């Protein structure tokens, strides 16, 4: 099993009252490494409207590369505005995943729209930064990855990587909406697409991770790194109902693959669980794994799907980076 | 071009319709069968919140289009499940005779919060000569994409030289004209191609020039070949005030092309216009051209978007 040393909470937007658009939530962290700092993009929210509905914006903080628990900068403005009337990202840009490409930085994000019979829908868009990641411009008003016959709604949670010159996008696709006495709840599964340019994608068309909590398990936030010649995926999974507390909340799962497409699920090796108390005692989720200066880190969101902020853990051992 | 009007040929309130539908017979689309012409249309019922749901039904005519043989009383295609693109209606469904199967290209509707609805195109397949259709998946085959951000709709498909061509529309913007009224949409005609009728190549380019400015809405293209030329009919209107009777209502437009790429718009040569009075005196919309027994027909809707049925004209 992997062992992670938790380094604590890095950032909680509720500690900073001068950013009304970033009032609470730090979700879906994604890092970009610079010479002196590590920039962490995440998604944050202003107060909900009078119907209790949220919008979500892309934000970032910067960490001291020499001491990652030290926040040296908080962005002042959202890194990108929301989409126009009727577009796929009119009501939110969340989650987000950033990657360098030549002299650009690209953001892959899920756009939120609002519907009548179900609360929301999502599709995946791309935005590009030409100013070193300070702000992003969407490459079109529509999504890049959207609905298809066997991925009918809720395309979200993108995580982009490049391996051996091939662009890989892990994302989720909705399966069905479950009717409840309150608002409908979705079921979604992890999928992937590949591309030679990061813009035109070919969907693999299969669910990658077998269910552990039954067919209504929700899976999201699939982040992949390459170690010891194999591919390692950390993702989040939960029940589709009663998931907002410790009992049914998100946990970090783990799977390993040799070809990026066929994955063996072995959650018991993830080694990343909720704490006994504190900001990540009910949920650990949306982990993003990255290597830096000889170490491997996981940055992740905690309780209430990241309402309580983001924290960091450092890998202490990798006994066998996981022989089959 | 010159069309001779044969009058209104179907009135939905005179027939019992499936799915508890009561009014509207919109966007008629023909499937020519051995012993009849089956005309699909979208009709409506109100749901529990009082909003319309569009369902597909059909009526069978004799091959000379003079007599009604039958009106379907069964569900031709189910609406989509909770959250699906076609949950709140299918309007229209274009049918394409593909040999041993009939392909249905559905325009599915789903209601939204900030704008009234969005639409995408789905595929359904019939193996019983168009009596019923089964969906190819829960999701659409054509939906919003990078340069076509919403409102993909109104497919019309032809097979030319082994390639499927689809003419369709995509939304370009939602426009607000006042604080108290909902936003109005603008949409334009485009073309996609495919080798399997499932995966379509498209480029987000408008192919028919506007004649009443940027805010012109263009809908329901229908294409046929005659005398070495391709001919397209469609309907168009301004984006605002189109529900009022009179000059802002849908009219029929016309364009022609030699190469399927460049289209010359020439509405003055459409050869069909509003009647002096009667069922198509204020509006003409949703044209569909088909051939049967060496005759070329146009089905279309009249006043009130087809609330009281559709009519027929014949090319002379």
């Amino acid at each position: 099993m992997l062992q992670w040393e938790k380094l604590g909470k890095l950032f909680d937007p509720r500690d900073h009252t001068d950013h009304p658009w970033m009032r609470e939530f730090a979700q879906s962290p994604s890092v970009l490494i610079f010479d002196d700092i590590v920039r962490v993009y995440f998604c944050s929210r202003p107060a909900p409207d009078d119907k209790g509905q949220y919008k979500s914006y892309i934000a970032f903080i910067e960490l001291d590369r020499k001491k990652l628990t030290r926040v040296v900068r908080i962005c002042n403005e959202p890194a990108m505005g929301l989409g126009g009337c009727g577009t796929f990202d009119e009501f939110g840009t969340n989650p987000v995943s950033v990657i360098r490409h030549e002299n650009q930085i690209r953001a892959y994000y899920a756009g939120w729209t609002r519907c009548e019979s179900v609360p929301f829908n999502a599709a995946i868009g791309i935005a590009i930064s030409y100013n070193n990641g300070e702000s992003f411009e969407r490459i079109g008003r529509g999504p890049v990855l959207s609905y298809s016959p066997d991925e009918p709604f809720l395309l979200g949670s993108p995580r982009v990587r490049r391996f051996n010159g091939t662009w890989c996008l892990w994302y989720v696709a909705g399966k069905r909406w479950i009717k409840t006495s309150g608002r409908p709840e979705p079921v979604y599964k992890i999928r992937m697409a590949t591309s030679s340019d990061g813009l035109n994608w070919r969907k693999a068309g299969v669910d990658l991770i077998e269910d552990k909590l039954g067919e209504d398990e929700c899976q999201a936030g699939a982040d992949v790194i390459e170690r010891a010649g194999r591919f390692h995926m950390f993702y989040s999974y939960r029940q589709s109902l009663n998931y907002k507390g410790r009992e049914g909340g998100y946990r970090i799962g783990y799977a390993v693959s040799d070809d990026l497409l066929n994955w063996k699920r072995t959650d018991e090796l993830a080694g990343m669980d909720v704490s006994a108390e504190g900001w990540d005692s009910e949920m650990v989720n949306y982990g993003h794994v990255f290597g830096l200066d000889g170490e491997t880190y996981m940055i992740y969101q905690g309780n209430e799907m990241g309402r309580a902020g983001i924290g960091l853990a450092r890998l202490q051992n990798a006994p066998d980076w996981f022989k089959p | 071009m010159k069309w001779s009007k044969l009058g209104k040929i179907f009135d939905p309130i005179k027939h019992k319709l499936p799915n508890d539908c009561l009014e509207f017979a919109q966007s008629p689309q023909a499937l020519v069968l051995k012993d009849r012409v089956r005309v699909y249309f979208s009709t409506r019922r109100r749901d529990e919140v009082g909003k319309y749901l569009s369902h597909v039904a059909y009526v069978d005519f004799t091959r000379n289009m003079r007599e009604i043989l039958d009106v379907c009383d069964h569900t031709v295609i189910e609406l989509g499940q909770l959250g699906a693109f076609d949950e709140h209606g299918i309007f229209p469904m274009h049918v394409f005779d593909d040999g041993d199967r009939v392909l249905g290209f559905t325009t599915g509707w789903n209601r939204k919060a900030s704008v009234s609805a969005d639409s995408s195109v789905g595929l359904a397949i019939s193996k019983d000569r168009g009596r019923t259709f089964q969906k190819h998946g829960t999701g659409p085959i054509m939906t919003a994409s990078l340069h076509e951000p919403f409102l993909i709709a109104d497919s019309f498909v032809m097979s030319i030289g082994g390639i499927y061509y689809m003419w369709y529309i995509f939304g370009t913007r939602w426009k607000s004209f006042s604080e108290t009224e909902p936003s109005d949409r603008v949409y334009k005609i485009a073309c996609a191609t495919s080798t399997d009728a499932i995966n379509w190549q498209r480029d987000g380019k408008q192919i028919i020039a506007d004649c009443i400015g940027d805010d012109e809405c263009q809908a329901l293209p229908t294409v046929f070949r005659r005398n070495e030329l391709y001919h397209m009919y469609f309907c168009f209107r301004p984006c605002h005030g189109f529900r009022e009777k009179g000059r802002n209502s849908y009219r029929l437009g016309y364009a022609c092309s030699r190469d399927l790429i460049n289209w010359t718009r020439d509405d003055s040569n459409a050869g069909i216009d509003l009647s002096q009075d009667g069922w198509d005196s204020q509006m003409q919309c949703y044209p569909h051209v088909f051939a049967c027994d060496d005759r070329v027909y146009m089905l279309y809707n009249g006043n009130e978007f087809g609330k009281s049925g559709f009519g027929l004209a014949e090319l002379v």
Side-chain angles (χ1 to χ4, degrees):
Chain A
M1 188 172 87
L2 294 172
Q3 287 178 10
W4 300 87
E5 176 195 3
K6 288 186 175 176
L7 303 178
K9 184 152 82 168
L10 288 177
F11 178 73
D12 184 339
R14 296 174 302 186
D15 297 337
H16 304 270
T17 54
D18 49 347
H19 296 78
W21 61 274
M22 189 168 56
R23 199 177 79 138
E24 51 188 353
F25 289 94
Q27 299 181 290
S28 167
S30 173
V31 304
L32 209 59
I33 294 164
F34 292 81
D35 290 345
D36 300 322
I37 56 120
V38 173
R39 185 177 295 159
V40 183
Y41 292 90
F42 57 93
C43 303
S44 193
R45 308 184 186 186
D49 65 16
D50 52 14
K51 291 179 185 160
Q53 292 182 301
Y54 284 102
K55 293 180 175 176
S56 183
Y57 293 90
I58 298 170
F60 64 81
I61 56 173
E62 291 175 356
L63 312 177
D64 183 345
R65 182 167 172 162
K66 298 274 183 321
K67 189 177 190 310
L68 289 178
T69 52
R70 195 166 81 90
V71 176
V72 296
R73 182 185 167 201
I74 302 169
C75 71
N76 281 318
E77 301 290 331
M80 187 171 75
L82 300 182
C85 181
T87 57
F88 77 104
D89 56 354
E90 180 179 1
F91 293 105
T93 49
N94 177 338
V96 64
S97 176
V98 294
I99 191 169
R100 282 200 177 85
H101 175 59
E102 294 168 351
N103 56 357
Q104 305 167 348
I105 296 167
R106 288 188 187 169
Y108 291 70
Y109 66 96
W112 294 358
T113 185
R114 293 179 187 164
C115 305
E116 182 185 283
S117 63
V118 293
F120 53 86
N121 203 351
I124 295 169
I126 298 178
I128 293 180
S129 174
Y130 301 96
N131 58 5
N132 219 19
E134 294 286 325
S135 64
F136 290 82
E137 296 167 28
R138 43 179 63 66
I139 63 171
R141 289 182 300 146
V144 168
L145 208 70
S146 192
Y147 323 123
S148 51
D150 73 333
E151 297 181 358
F153 35 67
L154 289 173
L155 269 72
S157 203
R159 285 288 183 191
V160 67
R161 298 276 188 175
R162 229 174 11 243
F163 293 114
N164 304 321
T166 297
W167 291 75
C168 300
L169 189 68
W170 284 275
Y171 62 96
V172 305
K175 282 276 181 211
R176 62 190 154 274
W177 284 93
I178 299 174
K179 286 178 185 150
T180 74
S181 56
R183 66 176 215 173
E185 292 289 351
V187 175
Y188 40 81
K189 307 291 181 187
I190 292 167
R191 296 204 154 202
M192 83 174 291
T194 53
S195 170
S196 59
D197 61 6
L199 303 174
N200 298 287
W201 294 90
R202 178 180 295 267
K203 292 177 173 180
V206 289
D207 296 333
L208 299 186
I209 303 298
E210 67 178 315
D211 293 322
K212 184 163 103 177
L213 305 179
E215 64 175 12
D216 286 345
E217 176 181 85
C218 288
Q219 310 167 344
D223 198 50
V224 176
I225 56 160
E226 187 176 10
R227 287 285 186 277
R230 310 191 78 187
F231 300 100
H232 308 268
M233 180 191 288
F234 297 86
Y235 51 89
S236 304
Y237 66 99
R238 63 165 171 82
Q239 298 167 4
S240 52
L241 304 175
N242 303 317
Y243 56 88
K244 293 191 173 169
R246 182 179 173 114
E247 195 65 27
Y250 269 123
R251 297 289 184 275
I252 302 276
Y254 168 75
V256 64
S257 171
D258 292 313
D259 63 1
L260 295 169
L261 187 64
N262 296 289
W263 295 87
K264 183 172 165 38
R265 181 170 185 169
T266 49
D267 292 349
E268 62 278 10
L269 296 183
M272 189 68 194
D273 207 347
V274 291
S275 299
E277 55 189 29
W279 75 281
D280 64 348
S281 59
E282 295 171 5
M283 284 179 213
V284 286
N285 52 132
Y286 282 76
H288 170 57
V289 178
F290 62 100
L292 178 72
D293 301 330
E295 302 278 1
T296 299
Y297 295 91
M298 182 186 295
I299 188 166
Y300 64 100
Q301 65 194 46
N303 297 348
E304 295 183 85
M305 334 284 256
R307 188 193 294 263
I310 45 179
L312 190 67
R314 181 168 52 210
L315 188 63
Q316 287 186 303
N317 74 328
D320 34 24
W321 275 107
F322 334 142
K323 302 197 179 80
Chain B
M1 312 297 276
K2 186 154 176 50
W3 296 85
S4 159
K5 289 184 180 178
L6 303 176
K8 188 161 90 171
I9 62 167
F10 182 76
D11 186 337
I13 58 176
K14 293 182 177 163
H15 300 272
K16 182 169 179 348
L17 297 169
N19 306 112
D20 300 320
C21 290
L22 282 176
E23 289 180 308
F24 290 93
Q26 296 183 280
S27 201
Q29 308 259 335
L31 176 69
V32 177
L33 298 169
K34 221 181 303 173
D35 61 342
R36 61 191 62 205
V37 175
R38 181 160 290 172
V39 179
Y40 297 84
F41 56 87
S42 287
T43 178
R44 298 185 185 188
R45 72 174 176 88
R46 289 192 191 269
D47 68 8
E48 56 278 7
V49 295
K51 292 187 178 179
Y52 280 122
L53 296 171
S54 283
H55 286 268
V56 175
Y58 64 74
V59 48
D60 289 342
F61 289 89
T62 53
R63 281 184 67 117
N64 65 7
M65 298 301 290
R66 293 304 196 269
E67 254 182 87
I68 289 176
L69 292 171
D70 197 14
V71 178
C72 80
D73 59 3
H74 63 278
T75 298
V76 176
I77 181 169
E78 301 274 358
L79 298 190
Q81 63 184 49
L82 181 65
F85 77 103
D86 53 355
E87 177 184 2
H88 297 125
I90 296 178
F91 164 46
M93 182 170 79
H94 171 64
V95 288
F96 177 84
D97 190 340
D98 200 41
D100 58 354
R101 56 182 193 166
V102 181
L103 304 181
F105 293 91
T106 63
T107 296
W109 292 89
N110 192 292
R111 297 178 197 147
K112 300 193 70 176
S114 64
V115 294
S116 56
D118 202 357
S119 64
S120 300
V121 169
L123 176 64
I125 296 169
S126 173
K127 300 251 173 83
D128 57 6
R129 299 309 287 158
R131 188 175 178 278
T132 60
F133 286 80
Q134 286 72 47
K135 292 178 195 180
H136 177 77
T138 311
I141 57 166
M142 285 206 349
T143 188
S145 59
L146 192 55
H147 300 299
E148 299 181 354
F150 35 69
L151 292 168
I152 312 300
D154 290 8
S155 305
F156 180 91
V157 172
M158 273 176 91
S159 174
I160 303 166
I163 306 278
Y164 294 103
Y165 284 76
M166 182 198 289
W167 289 272
Y168 65 99
I169 64 173
F170 66 97
T172 58
R173 62 186 167 279
W174 283 95
K175 204 164 163 172
S176 177
F177 287 87
S178 80
E179 300 232 327
T180 53
E181 294 170 289
S183 297
D184 285 313
R185 50 203 182 224
V186 179
Y187 39 85
K188 307 292 184 185
I189 293 169
C191 182
T193 57
S194 173
T195 54
D196 62 5
I198 297 169
N199 298 288
W200 294 86
Q201 304 296 317
R202 51 189 167 135
D203 59 9
K205 283 208 182 81
Q206 175 184 351
I207 59 170
I208 302 297
D210 294 319
C211 87
I212 51 172
D214 267 3
D215 283 349
E216 176 180 274
C217 295
Q218 307 172 340
L220 216 96
T222 179
V223 176
F224 63 103
R225 187 159 191 258
R226 188 181 169 85
N227 300 334
E228 306 300 310
L229 269 182
Y230 291 97
H231 307 268
M232 180 190 292
Y233 282 84
F234 52 94
C235 53
F236 69 99
R237 59 168 174 78
C239 91
H240 188 61
F242 58 94
R243 289 190 176 87
E244 301 148 23
K245 291 175 183 169
R247 64 189 176 86
N248 286 336
S249 295
Y250 268 127
R251 296 286 186 278
L252 297 184
Y254 168 78
C256 60
S257 172
R258 287 194 183 283
D259 57 8
L260 293 171
I261 297 164
N262 300 293
W263 290 86
T264 305
R265 182 165 182 173
D266 184 11
D267 293 353
S268 64
N269 198 21
I272 186 165
D273 207 344
L274 299 181
S275 298
Q276 282 290 322
D277 46 49
W279 77 281
D280 65 344
S281 58
Q282 288 150 3
M283 182 188 297
Q284 286 179 314
C285 56
Y286 312 140
H288 177 77
V289 176
F290 70 103
C292 182
D293 298 331
D294 299 322
R295 294 170 184 271
V296 176
Y297 296 102
M298 181 193 293
L299 292 158
Y300 65 99
N301 285 117
N303 303 346
E304 294 185 276
F305 308 93
K307 189 173 184 181
S308 66
F310 56 82
L312 187 70
E314 185 180 343
L315 189 63
V316 291

